Amino acid sequence: MTKKIVVTGIGATTPLGGTATESWNALLAGESGARSLEHSWVEEHSLPVTFAAEAKVRPEEVLERVEYKRLDPSSQFALISAREAWADAGSPDIDPVRIGVDYSTGIGGLWTLLDAWDTLREKGPRRVLPMTIPMLMPNAAAAAISMAIPSRAYARTDVSACASSTEAIANAYAHLQAGLADVVIAGGTEAVVHPLPIAAFASMQALSKRNDDPATASRPYDVSRDGFVLGEGAATLVLETEEHALARGARIYAELAGGAVTSDSFHITAPDPEGTAAARAVRDALEAAGATPEQVTHINAHATSTPVGDIAEYKALLRIFGDHLPNIPVSATKGATGHLLGGTGALEAIFTVLALHHRTAPPTINLTDQDPEIPLDVVTSPRDLGSGPQLAISNSFGFGGHNAVAAFRSV
């Protein structure tokens, strides 16, 4: 029998705010998290892109010094957001063997890796920190969370580029259905605002180069969009079976109604221009939710602000929703947050959950001249979703042809 899975806790540290609530409020206010970078390495390396969406609250302001020193920034963000989500869920007293962790990253401990390489070259092997490997490994965030909560059912790491944390949510749904845990901490993190990724993404023409106006650089669906804005941070959801949540008197934000993962098998970076496999991920998520396309009332789109990606996603949506697509309010929240890579799906899942919880679709900022090839109903100011039943999807697509979709239902 299919179990009902619900969201009972949320946490985030993002370019918009140090908590999920602060980030949501800033999103509704139309704020941008993109800012010029004030680091010496920008000029030192003559970077062609001089801005990004850095986390608004720095980890050293939140964590104890010993934690901060023993964790890569990606794990620091993850731990901060997971603790917030766990507290938001009521810090439930649960047998650790019934708590699981499905966490993700697109790249992992990049700062640790590259700092250690610099140390090796400049100072020799004896100066490389003994904690380097535990700090740089991609599963470090999941491990840190599992030890902090604690959770002993399992701690798994999803690494599927920018689809990673939505895939983690889909996997958490499956693991709860399979009875591997009663509660799962799911989400994603990324911390790669570093000269090397900026140079590499810029070299492949993926980043916006609006150095003169960072706040308006991320422009989903706009005819003048020229690439994404690199972001950082983490987002976490506490998921559990409805039976378990009700038994402990938990507050429920929304239902995680289904999730799905597919692969393009098309190109290492470019999406399938026809959106075939992405469409199948949407269809499969709706089937898992026992829903039809006509029941969908809101979409949080992947919408990175790249010329090719935004159109490919539109074509995927058109395949599923057809004539119903113009009736669905679409939010593209990367306009405000930038692109958190492996953490972006979890953050957008939280925005989707809060949209249903507050019956308000968040705005897409910086859209001044909508691309006529993408005739969606894009939300540009907070919009009331109404009092009736709501069903929303959150899309994530990543390099390598990874597609992941999560479906949420109002309660």
Side-chain angles (χ1 to χ4, degrees), residues 162 165-166 169 237 334 341-350 394-396:
C162 304
S165 52
T166 300
I169 292 168
L237 298 88
K334 287 185 182 70
L341 307 183
T344 204
L347 177 58
E348 288 161 16
I350 286 176
S394 181
N395 298 335
S396 295

Side-chain angles (χ1 to χ4, degrees), residues 257-280:
V261 176
T262 65
S263 174
D264 283 355
S265 296
F266 176 77
H267 190 271
I268 193 62
T269 56
D272 176 357
E274 298 305 316
T276 307
R280 185 160 51 87

Side-chain angles (χ1 to χ4, degrees), residues 27 218 220-221 299-304 330-336 348 362-365 378-379:
L27 179 67
S218 185
Y221 307 133
I299 296 172
N300 189 301
H302 185 60
T304 59
V330 176
S331 296
T333 51
K334 287 185 182 70
E348 288 161 16
T364 303
I365 67 170
V378 182
V379 178

Side-chain angles (χ1 to χ4, degrees), residues 78-105:
L79 185 58
I80 290 167
S81 73
R83 281 176 170 161
E84 181 195 351
W86 192 249
D88 189 50
S91 300
D93 183 13
I94 304 169
D95 185 347
V97 300
R98 299 304 300 162
I99 305 171
V101 175
D102 277 295
Y103 223 77
S104 68
T105 183

Side-chain angles (χ1 to χ4, degrees), residues 141-167:
I145 292 167
S146 72
M147 288 185 283
I149 296 305
S151 61
R152 299 196 179 104
Y154 64 84
R156 304 188 184 188
T157 299
D158 299 272
V159 182
S160 299
C162 304
S164 296
S165 52
T166 300
E167 183 172 324

Side-chain angles (χ1 to χ4, degrees), residues 150-213:
S151 61
R152 299 196 179 104
Y154 64 84
R156 304 188 184 188
T157 299
D158 299 272
V159 182
S160 299
C162 304
S164 296
S165 52
T166 300
E167 183 172 324
I169 292 168
N171 287 342
Y173 176 86
H175 293 152
L176 285 163
Q177 293 291 350
L180 300 186
D182 295 320
V183 179
V184 174
I185 301 160
T189 186
E190 208 74 86
V192 295
V193 179
H194 178 286
L196 179 60
I198 291 174
F201 277 127
S203 180
M204 66 189 300
Q205 306 299 313
L207 293 181
S208 170
K209 292 185 171 66
R210 294 176 182 269
N211 294 320
D212 58 333
D213 193 5

Side-chain angles (χ1 to χ4, degrees), residues 6-229:
V6 296
V7 181
T8 57
I10 56 173
T13 180
T14 80
L16 294 177
T19 67
T21 298
E22 289 173 2
S23 300
W24 172 252
N25 289 339
L27 179 67
L28 292 183
E31 296 179 16
S32 170
R35 294 171 284 273
S36 294
L37 293 168
E38 298 180 357
H39 303 290
S40 61
W41 45 257
V42 175
E43 184 175 352
E44 177 186 351
H45 297 291
S46 301
L47 293 178
V49 174
T50 61
F51 64 96
E54 293 185 288
K56 191 168 186 178
V57 177
R58 305 314 302 170
E60 59 267 32
E61 300 176 36
V62 181
L63 296 174
E64 297 292 334
R65 178 176 170 79
V66 65
E67 293 176 323
Y68 176 75
K69 288 293 186 181
R70 286 176 169 265
L71 296 172
D72 180 84
S74 60
S75 295
Q76 294 168 9
F77 290 138
L79 185 58
I80 290 167
S81 73
R83 281 176 170 161
E84 181 195 351
W86 192 249
D88 189 50
S91 300
D93 183 13
I94 304 169
D95 185 347
V97 300
R98 299 304 300 162
I99 305 171
V101 175
D102 277 295
Y103 223 77
S104 68
T105 183
I107 297 177
L110 179 129
W111 273 97
T112 296
L113 174 62
L114 295 180
D115 282 353
W117 174 242
D118 289 342
T119 299
L120 175 63
R121 287 188 303 108
E122 296 168 7
K123 300 178 180 179
R126 292 182 179 275
R127 299 295 296 275
V128 175
L129 296 176
M131 285 292 292
T132 297
I133 297 300
M135 290 171 66
L136 68 81
M137 58 192 189
N139 64 304
I145 292 167
S146 72
M147 288 185 283
I149 296 305
S151 61
R152 299 196 179 104
Y154 64 84
R156 304 188 184 188
T157 299
D158 299 272
V159 182
S160 299
C162 304
S164 296
S165 52
T166 300
E167 183 172 324
I169 292 168
N171 287 342
Y173 176 86
H175 293 152
L176 285 163
Q177 293 291 350
L180 300 186
D182 295 320
V183 179
V184 174
I185 301 160
T189 186
E190 208 74 86
V192 295
V193 179
H194 178 286
L196 179 60
I198 291 174
F201 277 127
S203 180
M204 66 189 300
Q205 306 299 313
L207 293 181
S208 170
K209 292 185 171 66
R210 294 176 182 269
N211 294 320
D212 58 333
D213 193 5
T216 68
S218 185
R219 309 176 67 82
Y221 307 133
D222 198 273
V223 293
S224 65
R225 67 191 185 278
D226 67 332
F228 73 85
V229 173

